[in-house]
Amino acid sequence: APSPSSGAQREAVAPARGRVLVVDDEELIRDLVDAMLGGKHDVTTLSDAREALERLRGGERFDVIFCDLNMPDMTGMELHAELVHAAPDAASRIVFLTGGATSSSAQAFLNGIDNSCVDKPFTRASLTAIVAERVRG
């Protein structure tokens, strides 16, 4: 029979389930991230940064928040700025998704913050690694 400790060791290496929020106005991107991460993590997708702001301000917690930089109505930059005051912990958990070529103001914004940034198109491996790191941390 296996020793009791082998079960405990197996438990330690099993990746923890994380809570992931995806904020992107493109349905394709939301569906893609959900397909890449949904099997291992609990993924919530929103098309509207204002709704994300309300939920995060209301105390909803996520390990990682993947957020598009450029969205109509409210940008990822504006969401981050609001969260810095309303929910600083949530602001620190944002990982921005960018279409690569960003405006000079967006580039200056990214250079001025500690948050990570992932260029589209991204890979399952890159997203999985980010979530695993945040869930462990």
Side-chain angles (χ1 to χ4, degrees):
S3 67
S5 66
S6 68
Q9 283 175 319
R10 210 171 25 254
E11 201 59 45
V13 292
R17 276 188 87 79
R19 296 196 71 219
V20 178
L21 176 62
V22 183
V23 186
D24 199 305
D25 58 310
E26 291 178 65
E27 186 177 7
L28 182 70
I29 299 294
R30 294 193 307 272
D31 290 349
L32 188 61
V33 177
D34 191 20
M36 289 178 170
L37 299 174
K40 291 188 170 80
H41 302 286
D42 301 323
V43 179
T44 301
T45 62
L46 297 174
S47 60
D48 181 15
R50 291 191 190 284
E51 186 182 343
L53 176 62
E54 288 311 309
R55 291 174 71 160
L56 294 163
R57 205 188 257 152
E60 216 172 319
R61 287 184 49 82
F62 295 90
D63 296 296
V64 185
I65 300 165
F66 289 109
C67 182
D68 190 14
L69 203 55
N70 296 306
M71 293 178 282
D73 195 28
M74 181 183 223
T75 68
M77 293 179 279
E78 291 166 334
L79 174 61
H80 181 271
E82 290 282 340
L83 289 173
V84 165
H85 301 293
D89 184 58
S92 71
R93 293 173 186 275
I94 294 177
V95 174
F96 288 102
L97 302 175
T98 68
T102 53
S103 66
S104 56
S105 61
Q107 199 53 59
F109 167 77
L110 290 171
N111 292 342
I113 58 171
D114 292 333
N115 298 64
S116 305
C117 183
V118 177
D119 286 337
K120 300 173 187 176
F122 40 77
T123 63
R124 180 190 304 258
S126 65
L127 296 189
T128 302
I130 290 168
V131 176
E133 183 186 311
R134 303 293 173 99
V135 171
R136 274 201 312 271

